[in-house]
Amino acid sequence: MPELVPVLSKTDIDSLVTQVAHRISNDYRNHDLVLVGVLKGVFVFLSDLIRNLDIPVQIDFIRVFSYGSDITSSGKIQLTKDIDLDIKDKDVLIVEDIVDTGLTLKYLIDYLKSYHPKTIKVCVFIDKHERREADVVIDYCCHHVGKGFLVGYGLDYNEDYRYLSGIYHLKL
Ligand code: IMP
Ligand code: MG
């Protein structure tokens, strides 16, 4: 049986999301901010994040398929759902659940730049360092971990565990 080791409780998460939302609200007050969430994992974090902001924002989603095994990405990425909003001259914040190799985010930053936004920055719930390959700047991050495969709070392993309200280290 896989073992789930607690990493962040719901209370921990609430406090981390409140803090990052406060920073984003202050930095983007009086800007035209569009949050672009990376499906599917981000849906839980994004819905908490927007309800803790005190500035108006627009929301869109993008989705990519990254070839690889259950727990590692190969870096070969295919766009499977594009954004619908016009982000030209807008301030864009890509919102992602977790960054691992960084290859997905690098692809998305380069891709979204082709729409000529005014600025483009990145907010992730978890920054996982161990396997970083792409040089991406993470502007807003709630929590850092060294390594391990994490599930819960939107994060899945083969589509399971997304519903858990905390974050757990999955030991297979
Ligand atoms: P990257 O391209 O290696 O940075 O991978 C990014 C994507 O891989 C994330 O958006 C997740 O969907 C998935 N991923 C990476 N690490 C984990 C993890 O620990 N748990 C669940 N999904 C992960
Ligand atoms: Mg993801």
Side-chain angles (χ1 to χ4, degrees):
M1 271 296 278
E3 192 191 346
L4 290 173
V5 181
V7 174
L8 293 173
S9 68
K10 187 174 182 307
T11 314
D12 298 331
I13 292 171
D14 287 347
S15 138
L16 293 167
V17 174
T18 310
Q19 288 170 45
V20 87
H22 188 68
R23 283 183 55 208
I24 293 169
S25 298
N26 287 339
D27 292 352
Y28 287 96
R29 207 169 297 285
N30 304 316
H31 288 246
D32 284 328
L33 180 59
V34 181
L35 302 180
V36 175
V38 186
L39 291 172
K40 296 191 211 176
V42 82
F43 78 105
V44 185
F45 172 46
L46 187 67
S47 60
D48 280 349
L49 181 66
I50 55 170
R51 289 175 296 166
N52 280 280
L53 295 173
D54 64 6
I55 54 167
V57 292
Q58 292 186 331
I59 297 154
D60 206 344
F61 291 98
I62 199 162
R63 187 160 189 200
V64 291
F65 176 72
S66 86
Y67 299 84
S69 71
D70 293 345
I71 56 166
T72 62
S73 87
S74 68
K76 266 207 248 164
I77 294 156
Q78 188 190 333
L79 192 77
T80 56
K81 188 223 165 290
D82 203 347
I83 51 170
D84 301 308
L85 296 179
D86 180 5
I87 58 168
K88 186 171 186 300
D89 298 327
K90 300 283 176 74
D91 290 300
V92 169
L93 187 61
I94 302 177
V95 187
E96 170 71 302
D97 49 9
I98 185 165
V99 52
D100 184 14
T101 63
L103 294 167
T104 306
L105 272 177
K106 184 168 183 346
Y107 171 91
L108 288 173
I109 293 166
D110 290 344
Y111 179 75
L112 291 175
K113 273 185 181 165
S114 69
Y115 289 113
H116 304 290
K118 186 171 161 200
T119 64
I120 184 155
K121 292 196 173 181
V122 172
C123 170
V124 302
F125 185 68
I126 290 178
D127 184 350
K128 186 161 77 173
H129 304 260
E130 190 195 25
R131 300 185 321 116
R132 189 63 40 85
E133 289 178 42
D135 190 15
V136 280
V137 176
I138 311 294
D139 302 283
Y140 303 92
C141 168
C142 293
H143 187 68
H144 297 266
V145 294
K147 56 184 174 180
F149 196 81
L150 304 178
V151 294
Y153 197 61
L155 294 168
D156 74 308
Y157 173 68
N158 285 340
E159 294 298 327
D160 288 325
Y161 307 112
R162 289 194 199 275
Y163 63 90
L164 296 172
S165 56
I167 295 264
Y168 297 82
H169 183 181
L170 180 70
K171 295 204 162 164
L172 295 166

